[in-house]
Amino acid sequence: MTDLSALLPFIIAVIVLFIVAGSVIGLVRGRRSRVRYTDTRDANDPVLAPNQPNVAGSDTGAPTAVAEPPAPTLEAEPGVEVPEAFEEPVAEAVPTETPAPVAGRLQRLRERLARSNNVLGKGLLALLSSDRIDDNVWDEVEETLLLADIGTEPSLELVDTLKDRVKVMGSRNPDEVRAMLRDELVKLVDPSLDRSLNVDRKAGKPAVVLVVGVNGVGKTTTVGKLARVLVAEDKDVILGAADTFRAAAAEQLATWGARVGVPTVKSDVDGADPASVAFEAVKAGIEQEVDVVMVDTAGRLQNKVGLMDELGKVKRVIEKQAEVDEVLLVLDATTGQNGLNQAKVFSEVVDITGIVLTKLDGTAKGGIVVAIQKQLGVPVKLVGLGEGPDDLAPFDVEGFVDAILA
């Protein structure tokens, strides 16, 4: 046991010596593995791994740029053409279209209206051509008129007039009945109202058209279609995208304008002040000496006082630069009597000068034309009968009545 205790210090000393020797050998090998590049690195020089320090510039180990390997070249295969370079895709410009002339539109609209709204005319003609016209027949006539959204007062007025004329005429000849009914319907629609659009420059400034209405009636689409009508009449037009609340409204309007080469003034900020956009649009129209500036506004419910006040503000701001020549209220013809309530409130805020009736096809009833004009004294100036870009035309009284009785 004494001999083992004497050898223990010697054994410990040998183990420590081996550990020190191993450490020294490892340091020497590590230094030999470092390769210094003092010259510019060639393409065939080895590239250091990302976790090894690059010492080409200094001993601090700071990383330096490493040359990228040359890009591979494409070798052409037989019969295959190799492109010289890749090009960035370029957005195609919206092609400029030529709007249809107004005369052709009127004829097309009459034909479409005749197909969609002749229930009223046929019903009245059938009733008035009966061999015996008694009170029951007149009740049916009145009911037919009311169902066509003509309104109570105009319906009663028309029935009384027809009664008198039938008594005087005496006969039930279908052609005579048709002529009589046509005369009375034309009077009811009132051809004496001025249905022209005020779109001519005056006092060195463009005409300003403000388009208003509730949500979903097609205001922005109507502005785009009306721009096509004006371009077809050789008018220079600028559009103002003052509907800053509905998503993509400005882009939609700009697309409509681009199709016929009409510029659009709009804001790139969502929820921008609509009065400011309208002001800038009119300013641009004055500077560029265009004929017409049309301003699209956000849809608003007629029972929201704050939104209606804002619409009044838009009009007042525009009038700081130019007079507002037209305020067009866009109504959906399928809403019937509800459209009357909308028209009343809007007319109190911005002084409506004309009505645009959209969707006057399918289930729409033409009598709304009479009802609106009777109650407001405001003429229907434009009608839309389809979704096509040229399905908007000036309202023609006799053409409208002839289509109903077709």
Side-chain angles (χ1 to χ4, degrees):
M1 185 72 179
T2 305
D3 295 338
L4 183 60
S5 300
L7 292 174
L8 185 59
F10 177 76
I11 294 172
I12 293 174
V14 171
I15 292 173
V16 171
L17 181 61
F18 274 109
I19 293 173
V20 172
S23 299
V24 171
I25 293 172
L27 290 173
V28 171
R29 288 180 177 177
R31 287 185 174 273
R32 288 179 179 177
S33 65
R34 294 187 180 185
V35 181
R36 296 177 182 269
Y37 284 89
T38 57
D39 298 325
T40 303
R41 187 178 295 277
D42 296 326
N44 61 351
D45 287 338
V47 179
L48 297 177
N51 60 348
Q52 289 183 323
N54 187 339
V55 293
S58 65
D59 292 334
T60 60
T64 60
V66 179
E68 295 289 338
T73 57
L74 297 176
E75 296 183 1
E77 297 182 6
V80 178
E81 182 179 353
V82 179
E84 296 182 0
F86 293 100
E87 296 182 357
E88 292 291 334
V90 179
E92 296 183 1
V94 179
T96 302
E97 302 172 2
T98 302
V102 175
R105 297 181 186 207
L106 289 173
Q107 180 61 34
R108 187 169 67 255
L109 292 181
R110 287 173 187 171
E111 295 172 356
R112 193 167 298 175
L113 186 61
R115 292 196 301 268
S116 61
N117 272 315
N118 56 9
V119 175
L120 170 63
K122 286 184 177 180
L124 292 177
L125 286 173
L127 290 170
L128 296 176
S129 299
S130 303
D131 292 333
R132 176 181 174 83
I133 301 181
D134 53 17
D135 290 341
N136 291 331
V137 172
W138 289 117
D139 288 343
E140 290 186 44
V141 171
E142 182 180 339
E143 183 180 355
T144 302
L145 295 172
L146 290 173
L147 290 175
D149 288 332
I150 287 181
T152 304
E153 183 179 345
S155 296
L156 293 175
E157 178 184 334
L158 180 57
V159 168
D160 290 341
T161 304
L162 290 174
K163 280 183 179 180
D164 294 338
R165 292 197 60 174
V166 166
K167 289 179 181 178
V168 173
M169 185 174 62
S171 68
R172 301 290 183 270
N173 184 286
D175 292 335
E176 293 179 352
V177 171
R178 181 187 299 272
M180 174 193 67
L181 189 56
R182 182 185 186 279
D183 290 343
E184 296 305 323
L185 286 175
V186 168
K187 292 178 183 177
L188 200 61
V189 181
D190 196 354
S192 65
L193 293 175
D194 182 12
R195 302 179 191 277
S196 62
L197 290 173
N198 297 318
V199 289
D200 294 324
R201 287 177 58 87
K202 58 183 178 182
K205 293 183 178 181
V208 178
V209 179
L210 186 64
V211 182
V212 302
V214 300
N215 297 304
V217 296
K219 290 184 308 303
T220 302
T221 300
T222 297
V223 173
K225 291 182 177 182
L226 182 53
R228 298 177 68 91
V229 173
L230 296 175
V231 169
E233 296 178 347
D234 295 326
K235 298 284 187 182
D236 291 328
V237 183
I238 278 184
L239 303 179
D243 182 354
T244 59
F245 296 100
R246 183 170 64 87
E251 287 73 14
Q252 180 187 0
L253 186 64
T255 300
W256 273 103
R259 289 175 180 172
V260 287
V262 171
T264 300
V265 176
K266 59 187 180 71
S267 174
D268 295 329
V269 180
D270 292 335
D273 180 16
S276 175
V277 177
F279 182 89
E280 292 300 324
V282 175
K283 180 181 177 182
I286 294 174
E287 293 175 349
Q288 299 180 29
E289 299 183 350
V290 302
D291 297 313
V292 185
V293 177
M294 278 198 298
V295 180
D296 180 29
T297 61
R300 59 202 74 228
L301 297 175
Q302 72 276 10
N303 57 354
K304 298 295 183 182
V305 177
L307 293 176
M308 296 303 292
D309 290 344
E310 182 183 70
L311 185 59
K313 174 189 172 184
V314 171
K315 186 171 184 286
R316 291 192 302 272
V317 169
I318 291 176
E319 289 174 336
K320 292 180 179 180
Q321 298 186 93
E323 180 182 350
V324 176
D325 300 277
E326 287 279 0
V327 180
L328 298 178
L329 174 62
V330 181
L331 292 177
D332 183 340
T334 62
T335 59
Q337 293 296 311
N338 188 43
L340 283 175
N341 299 328
Q342 299 171 12
K344 290 177 183 177
V345 179
F346 276 93
S347 64
E348 294 170 359
V349 176
V350 286
D351 190 19
I352 303 298
T353 61
I355 304 292
V356 181
L357 272 182
T358 63
K359 308 175 188 177
L360 194 61
D361 56 355
T363 60
K365 302 156 187 176
I368 190 64
V369 173
V370 176
I372 290 176
Q373 294 185 159
K374 280 288 185 181
Q375 292 202 21
L376 299 180
V378 176
V380 173
K381 294 191 173 184
L382 297 159
V383 289
L385 296 177
E387 298 180 356
D390 293 321
D391 287 340
L392 182 75
F395 181 72
D396 176 62
V397 175
E398 295 189 358
F400 174 74
V401 172
D402 288 339
I404 288 179
L405 298 177

